[in-house]
Amino acid sequence: MTTPLARRQLERWDDVRIFLAAVRAGSFTAAARVLGTDQSTISRRLAALEREIGASLFERTRRGPVPTELALRLRDDAERV
């Protein structure tokens, strides 16, 4: 079950755009390339979103970010936005 706060945070278009790019691309670097920005911007914005909702959306691993269960549940909501 997704939290109401998480759903509310994903109502902001910029957050949705960045979140979806990261989930779809499989890396923050690839997401940055798609969005025409820097990897550090993607990472920073997603970290801020995670702080706001109080939950992790990606597990940071050596092989790159792995979407958490919450991220996978929120993806459908984000796709509809």
Side-chain angles (χ1 to χ4, degrees):
M1 176 180 203
T2 56
T3 66
L5 179 58
R7 285 186 178 193
R8 189 169 63 239
Q9 292 302 332
L10 281 179
E11 291 175 0
R12 293 189 303 224
W13 174 241
D14 282 345
D15 288 343
V16 172
R17 213 168 52 92
I18 290 169
F19 169 74
L20 279 177
V23 171
R24 289 173 178 163
S27 78
F28 296 166
T29 301
R33 202 173 11 240
V34 168
L35 296 175
T37 190
D38 300 324
Q39 179 274 334
S40 61
T41 299
I42 300 296
S43 183
R44 186 176 57 252
R45 295 285 303 274
L46 288 171
L49 177 60
E50 289 173 325
R51 279 192 304 276
E52 288 179 41
I53 65 173
S56 294
L57 295 171
F58 295 91
E59 179 184 338
R60 276 78 169 167
T61 70
R62 287 179 170 219
R63 294 181 183 229
V66 177
T68 63
E69 240 181 85
L70 175 60
L72 296 175
R73 288 192 313 260
L74 286 174
R75 181 183 185 164
D76 291 337
D77 292 339
E79 294 281 1
R80 284 190 288 276
V81 172

